[in-house]
Amino acid sequence: LLFYIVFINILLGLFNLLPIAPLDGAKIAAGFPGELGDFFRRIEPYGPGILMVVFLLSFLTPSLSVFGRVINPLEGRILNVLT
């Protein structure tokens, strides 16, 4: 049980680091210098909508799943470290 609690907590932390506005990763990305930081600051008001579109795409078309492409490779490595 403790293993699964730790595993899920690590996955939620990684998810929170995605650079989409309502998540904490957007705050980190907005601090980048130059044009990249400006880009993330400009799209911040649209972040919740972008996040909803990403969620819907991941459920409707699994081949376009951003979460699957970003989180799944990290998930396998975390499982290797924890086991």
Side-chain angles (χ1 to χ4, degrees):
L1 180 64
L2 182 62
F3 171 79
Y4 288 112
I5 292 171
V6 170
F7 179 67
I8 291 171
N9 197 11
I10 291 172
L11 286 179
L12 287 173
L14 290 173
F15 171 75
N16 199 24
L17 288 176
L18 290 175
I20 302 173
L23 304 175
D24 290 335
K27 293 173 183 68
I28 295 169
F32 290 156
E35 292 181 20
L36 187 59
D38 291 338
F39 170 74
F40 282 109
R41 284 188 289 278
R42 278 194 315 267
I43 66 167
E44 187 173 357
Y46 308 109
I50 294 170
L51 188 62
M52 292 302 292
V53 168
V54 169
F55 269 127
L56 287 174
L57 281 177
S58 66
F59 287 116
L60 297 176
T61 56
S63 63
L64 294 176
S65 174
V66 172
F67 301 116
R69 292 179 187 259
V70 174
I71 300 294
N72 284 346
L74 296 173
E75 179 182 349
R77 292 182 185 195
I78 292 168
L79 280 173
N80 288 338
V81 169
L82 291 179
T83 57

